[in-house]
Every structure is written in C-alpha cells, then in structure tokens.
Amino acid sequence: MASITLIIGEDDWLVSETAGKQTGDGAGLEVFDSVSSSNAELQLKDLAAVDESFSTPPFLEPVKVTWWKNVHFLPHSGKGAPSKEVKEALEKFAEKVAATPPAENQKLVISGPSLLSSSIFAKTLEPVAEFAVFQSGKPWEAARAAVQRAEEFAAGMNLRFDRDAAGLFVSRVGSDSRSLMSELSKMRDYLGPGAHVVDAAAIDAISSPGAGVEPELRGVTDAIGERDLEKLLCATARFERESGFAVFMTTVIEKFFRGLLEYKDAAERGEESSLGLPPYAMRKNAAFASNWTLLELRVARARFLALREKAVSAAGSIDVLVIAELVRLCRARKGIRR
C-alpha cells in the first residue's frame, strides 16, 4: 500500500471510504480539514499544519497517518482555483514530499474534489504517490457508474433491482453514493425482510431525491421532451418566483436539448448504443426524440444558448422571454407526434 495517496472526487462517500482504507483503525491518525478554508490565509495555514505533521515522525504510536481532507484548493481550472501564492506553496510542498517520502510506518493522505492532472503539483507527486480518482466526463458515464454502484450496494443489503429499475432508481435519487446508500436502506426497511426485489412501484412509493437533485426540475425537462405545454407551464411555475430564474432555467434547458440532440443524432445513424446509456434512459430518450426533429433540436439549443447569454448580461429581468420561448418551441408541430 502506498505511503502517499491522493484521493480526488466530488462523491463524499467514495472519497471517505477510500480514505478509510488508508487510515486504518485510526491509530496515530492526525486529520486536517480544509472544508472551511475560504481564503489564501487560511489555506496557507492549513498547508503549514499538514507540512509540520508530515515532517514529524511517529513517536509513541507505531504508525502515523496524516490525512488532509476537503482540500478544495488543489490546482485546478475554473471557479475556486487556488491563488498564485497558494498554488506556489502547494508546488513547494509537493517537491518536499517527493524528495523526502515518509518512512514505512508513516502515511500521507490528501483528498479533495478536483485536481488538474497536468498541474506541477500532480506531476511532481505522480512518481511517488498513488492516485484514486473518482471523476467522469460525460453525464452518461456518471449515470452508468452510479447504476453499477447502486446494484452493488443493493446486493450488499440482499436486494436486487427488477429489470431497468436501477436506472429509474438513480434517476430519482441521483448519483451521490451517500444518497444511494441512504435510500437503499429506506428501501430495505420498506420492503421488509421477506422481499428482495426493488421494482418501479417500490421506487415511486418510497424513494426521494438525494443530494443536489431538484425534484421538480425533472418535471420541466420531461414536459419539454414530451412537448406537453400545459404540463410544462405548471412545472416552470414552481420556479418563476425564484431569484435568478432566467439564468438557472436557460442553463438547465440548454443542457437538456444538448443531450437529446446528441441522442437523436446518434439514433438516426443507428449508433445510439455507442452512448452507453442505461436501458431506462435509452427508452426515455427514444420517446422524447420521437417528438422532435434534428433541426428543431438544433434551433432550440441555439436559441436557449442565446437566451442564457442575454440572461447573464441583461440589466433587467427576461423571465417572460424564457416562458415565451418555451411556448413557441413546444407548440405541436405538424407531422410530429406529441
């Protein structure tokens, strides 16, 4: 087992489980949590404390483990990237760790939501550290991985999913592992000791949206896919009084049209299986795609991209334009089944 481990991923349960295998029974464990370190001063203070722990060998304990967790300021691009000062300090720390790796009875574990693999920090530690990365690029990949985890978690509780029910479960609960475990525990209690099959009826009866899943939002995208204008207006009405409605809704809708366009384009070439969608999602997208032509999807995506830019930069509210655009796009088209 490596004496230096980096665990990268936004799934808190997976990160914690992996870190637990490295930290063992907690003997000689020193934990440094940077979850609340929101500025450079606090981040550098955390780094200094971790450096001191790493540099101090075990005395009374037979082993020593330094776990630096929730390091959200590891080098990465985009929002939340570390300042130049913090980035340079991290690189110096990486150089020190690489030059003087810990003894056999000492470990260093660093965990955080994201890390740029091409960064100097990562490249410096690569020869001496073990990396556990829980990240997936496309939404389909994340959904497929979540379905697999849900099936594994269910098996551990003496449960199994009915045909395609795992995909339905993940679409309802989300891909967060802690939410999957929590909802499966509820399912185990709901079904009772004599039942072992999780079907669609049980999911509808007991399963709730997990971390980061907005329950009403699926109603908006489903209504758009079905081109059901009455259902769509009812679904969006739940969000209209929320601050930032136009920015939020245009972002969600553009993403939906982008995914459906990708599916429709692949399906017309007979290559939809290459997307790797779960069977449940495949059938749902097939039903939605039958209501839209490729041209309509391209136009819809382009118009909502333009609306999003306007929503971000406009001085006044453009909420009414979002609703007007939805009404215009979702009106029934001649020759297109609703």
Side-chain angles (χ1 to χ4, degrees):
M1 189 175 292
S3 57
I4 304 170
T5 304
L6 275 81
I7 307 169
I8 307 300
E10 296 183 354
D11 192 310
D12 178 63
W13 188 91
L14 286 177
V15 170
S16 296
E17 283 291 300
T18 306
K21 295 175 183 177
Q22 298 291 331
T23 57
D25 59 4
L29 175 63
E30 292 185 2
V31 179
F32 301 87
D33 194 344
S34 290
V35 68
S36 300
S37 300
S38 56
N39 57 51
E41 181 181 357
L42 293 173
Q43 292 164 6
L44 291 171
K45 183 179 178 180
D46 289 351
L47 176 55
V50 171
D51 190 358
E52 182 180 356
S53 175
F54 169 77
S55 303
T56 306
F59 290 115
L60 299 178
E61 297 286 352
V63 296
K64 180 178 182 180
V65 182
T66 301
W67 180 15
W68 191 13
K69 62 189 294 188
N70 294 316
V71 193
H72 53 86
F73 48 88
L74 291 176
H76 65 278
S77 58
K79 187 178 180 181
S83 66
K84 181 181 179 181
E85 183 183 14
V86 172
K87 180 172 172 288
E88 290 175 350
L90 286 167
E91 290 169 359
K92 289 181 180 179
F93 178 65
E95 290 172 2
K96 177 180 179 178
V97 171
T100 57
E104 291 184 1
N105 62 339
Q106 191 175 354
K107 291 181 182 178
L108 172 65
V109 180
I110 302 174
S111 61
S114 58
L115 171 63
L116 189 64
S117 60
S118 59
S119 65
I120 295 174
F121 178 84
K123 289 294 185 182
T124 303
L125 291 177
E126 190 174 359
V128 297
E130 179 180 277
F131 286 72
V133 181
F134 302 105
Q135 292 176 320
S136 53
K138 295 185 178 180
W140 311 135
E141 295 171 350
R144 189 166 62 247
V147 167
Q148 184 177 350
R149 288 199 305 276
E151 290 173 338
E152 292 171 356
F153 295 161
M157 300 180 189
N158 199 19
L159 294 171
R160 65 176 178 83
F161 286 99
D162 197 11
R163 179 178 177 270
D164 297 341
L168 174 61
F169 180 75
V170 169
S171 73
R172 172 71 58 84
V173 174
S175 58
D176 175 70
S177 294
R178 198 175 298 281
S179 298
L180 294 174
M181 287 288 288
S182 175
E183 288 300 312
L184 280 169
S185 295
K186 280 172 50 181
M187 182 66 70
R188 176 71 282 175
D189 293 339
Y190 172 76
L191 292 176
H196 306 285
V197 179
V198 179
D199 58 15
I203 293 169
D204 286 339
I206 195 66
S207 298
S208 305
V213 178
E214 175 58 64
E216 292 88 356
L217 194 55
R218 189 176 57 187
V220 173
T221 53
D222 283 358
I224 294 172
E226 295 165 8
R227 295 188 86 145
D228 189 325
L229 185 55
E230 182 179 354
K231 181 177 176 181
L232 176 60
L233 293 176
C234 289
T236 53
R238 302 170 186 172
F239 295 93
E240 284 185 74
R241 294 184 180 180
E242 298 292 331
S243 176
F245 168 83
V247 174
F248 172 68
M249 197 59 66
T250 52
T251 300
V252 168
I253 294 171
E254 185 277 325
K255 182 180 178 182
F256 171 77
F257 277 125
R258 184 188 346 138
L260 189 57
L261 176 59
E262 182 182 8
Y263 174 86
K264 178 86 172 180
D265 183 56
E268 294 204 350
R269 289 182 281 107
E271 299 174 0
E272 63 269 37
S273 59
S274 65
L275 297 174
L277 289 169
Y280 171 79
M282 188 80 80
R283 288 201 303 274
K284 193 169 187 177
N285 275 276
F288 289 164
S290 68
N291 297 321
W292 296 85
T293 67
L294 271 176
L295 179 59
E296 284 180 321
L297 290 173
R298 291 192 182 104
V299 169
R301 186 194 172 197
R303 292 181 74 91
F304 271 93
L305 271 172
L307 261 182
R308 186 181 185 282
E309 291 180 9
K310 186 179 291 187
V312 171
S313 58
S317 172
I318 65 164
D319 294 4
V320 66
L321 295 182
V322 175
I323 299 300
E325 188 61 34
L326 286 171
V327 171
R328 193 190 72 80
L329 286 171
C330 287
R331 286 178 304 183
R333 296 289 195 273
K334 200 170 184 180
I336 300 295
R337 181 174 61 83
R338 284 197 60 181

